[in-house]
Amino acid sequence: MKRDISDLLRIMAQLRDREQGCPWDIEQDFASIAPYTIEEAYEVADAIDRGDFPALRDELGDLLLQVVFHARMAEEAGHFDFGEVVAAICDKMWRRHPHVFGEASVPDAAAQTELWEAIKRRERGDAGDASALAGVARGLPEWQRALKLQLRAAHTGFDWPDAHAVLDKLREEIGEVAAEVDAGEAPGSQRLLDEVGDLLFVAVNLARKTGVDVSAALRHANRKFERRFRAMEALADEEGRPLAERSLEDQEALWQRIKR
């Protein structure tokens, strides 16, 4: 049977029905659903990363459900409904693409990006916050928020000249972390939090200046570590002595064998 968005809206309305709906769905609110929304977005990204299009179809459906869920709760509270969500994004796309829907023209994608950012800055200024950092959401993963803050600052000219300058700063930050560790600073202390935070912030800057996608790099590193660690476990089991029963030196030797 062919389905469309109206079917999904009806399903969500029935799930939220106070008398005949699903108890779990009924008791949810915006805050309780928000983590699921974030999780579903990451699952969409994972399906894309794996090139799994059947999974992508399903994950996009799960993400759409999140939008419908939030819109339904907003409608129940008298804030807005799904139609207004659609209208808002349609208006935004129309407004931010004057080169497509209006008289403006842009020669290439880079110029279009500049136009897009200029329109967004004007909108933020109209909303009462003219800072270059306005509108960077606090709910983003912190590495992503760091990247957006850096990009906004760079747009004003406040930026490292090249990757070499960032590498120098990274070495400096590593030295400052090492100094706190050598001084016996307690694990988790405010001083270490500050210094490690600076180190991570500069690392994001390094990825940006070298043209590396931070999320993709971390995914790659995670997959590589997991692949190698699982291989270590398997090799240790084959030799009759589980990984957890070995010394750190033995574990390191296994790690080097796997890498080779």
Side-chain angles (χ1 to χ4, degrees), residues 182-203:
D182 292 343
E185 192 66 29
S189 70
Q190 183 63 46
R191 292 182 65 85
L192 278 172
L193 184 146
D194 287 344
E195 297 300 346
V196 172
D198 291 344
L199 175 62
L200 293 172
F201 191 84
V202 175

Side-chain angles (χ1 to χ4, degrees), residues 30-48:
F30 295 107
S32 68
I33 289 297
Y36 296 101
T37 308
I38 295 169
E39 180 181 343
E40 295 300 349
Y42 275 111
E43 291 183 359
V44 167
D46 178 63
I48 293 171

Side-chain angles (χ1 to χ4, degrees), residues 141-162:
E142 293 304 333
W143 68 263
Q144 191 172 6
R145 190 160 191 270
L147 180 60
K148 284 185 173 290
L149 290 170
Q150 292 165 12
L151 287 169
R152 293 284 188 85
H155 195 79
T156 71
F158 188 70
D159 194 13
W160 302 104
D162 53 37

Side-chain angles (χ1 to χ4, degrees), residues 5 43 47 51 63 85 94 100 175-177 198 226 231-232:
I5 189 63
E43 291 183 359
L63 185 58
V85 173
W94 186 283
V100 176
E176 292 179 3
V177 172
D198 291 344
E226 182 177 9
M232 284 173 60

Side-chain angles (χ1 to χ4, degrees), residues 120-135 152 156:
K120 288 176 66 177
R121 284 195 299 273
R122 185 172 65 246
E123 291 174 355
R124 291 192 295 269
D126 292 343
D129 189 347
S131 170
L133 305 181
R152 293 284 188 85
T156 71

Side-chain angles (χ1 to χ4, degrees), residues 74-96:
E75 182 177 1
E76 292 168 359
H79 301 310
F80 55 81
D81 61 18
F82 182 79
E84 291 173 275
V85 173
V86 173
I89 190 60
C90 287
D91 289 345
K92 183 183 293 184
M93 291 300 98
W94 186 283
R95 187 171 64 247
R96 292 184 180 177

Side-chain angles (χ1 to χ4, degrees), residues 35-254:
Y36 296 101
T37 308
I38 295 169
E39 180 181 343
E40 295 300 349
Y42 275 111
E43 291 183 359
V44 167
D46 178 63
I48 293 171
D49 190 56
R50 291 184 285 108
D52 188 338
F53 289 97
L56 178 59
R57 175 201 59 207
D58 292 345
E59 299 301 346
L60 285 171
D62 291 344
L63 185 58
L64 178 59
L65 177 65
Q66 297 299 307
V67 176
V68 169
F69 207 140
H70 284 286
R72 179 63 194 181
M73 291 187 292
E75 182 177 1
E76 292 168 359
H79 301 310
F80 55 81
D81 61 18
F82 182 79
E84 291 173 275
V85 173
V86 173
I89 190 60
C90 287
D91 289 345
K92 183 183 293 184
M93 291 300 98
W94 186 283
R95 187 171 64 247
R96 292 184 180 177
H97 292 83
H99 56 295
V100 176
F101 304 112
E103 301 300 322
S105 63
V106 292
D108 52 36
Q112 191 278 324
T113 299
E114 286 295 319
L115 177 61
W116 175 277
E117 291 299 329
I119 294 170
K120 288 176 66 177
R121 284 195 299 273
R122 185 172 65 246
E123 291 174 355
R124 291 192 295 269
D126 292 343
D129 189 347
S131 170
L133 305 181
V136 179
R138 296 185 180 276
L140 291 170
E142 293 304 333
W143 68 263
Q144 191 172 6
R145 190 160 191 270
L147 180 60
K148 284 185 173 290
L149 290 170
Q150 292 165 12
L151 287 169
R152 293 284 188 85
H155 195 79
T156 71
F158 188 70
D159 194 13
W160 302 104
D162 53 37
H164 293 291
V166 185
L167 280 168
D168 290 340
K169 183 63 176 177
L170 189 64
R171 296 184 187 101
E172 177 186 328
E173 296 296 348
I174 291 173
E176 292 179 3
V177 172
E180 296 298 339
V181 173
D182 292 343
E185 192 66 29
S189 70
Q190 183 63 46
R191 292 182 65 85
L192 278 172
L193 184 146
D194 287 344
E195 297 300 346
V196 172
D198 291 344
L199 175 62
L200 293 172
F201 191 84
V202 175
V204 172
N205 247 317
L206 179 61
R208 179 175 64 87
K209 296 300 285 187
T210 54
V212 172
D213 182 292
V214 181
S215 179
L218 282 172
R219 284 198 305 273
H220 177 72
N222 286 339
R223 286 198 303 268
K224 182 167 60 176
F225 177 82
E226 182 177 9
R227 181 177 66 249
R228 290 175 176 175
F229 190 85
R230 287 179 179 274
M232 284 173 60
E233 291 178 313
L235 184 56
D237 289 342
E238 286 175 10
E239 294 179 350
R241 193 152 55 98
L243 192 63
E245 297 178 7
R246 295 173 180 250
S247 67
L248 180 58
E249 290 76 13
D250 285 346
Q251 291 179 343
E252 176 62 22
L254 284 175

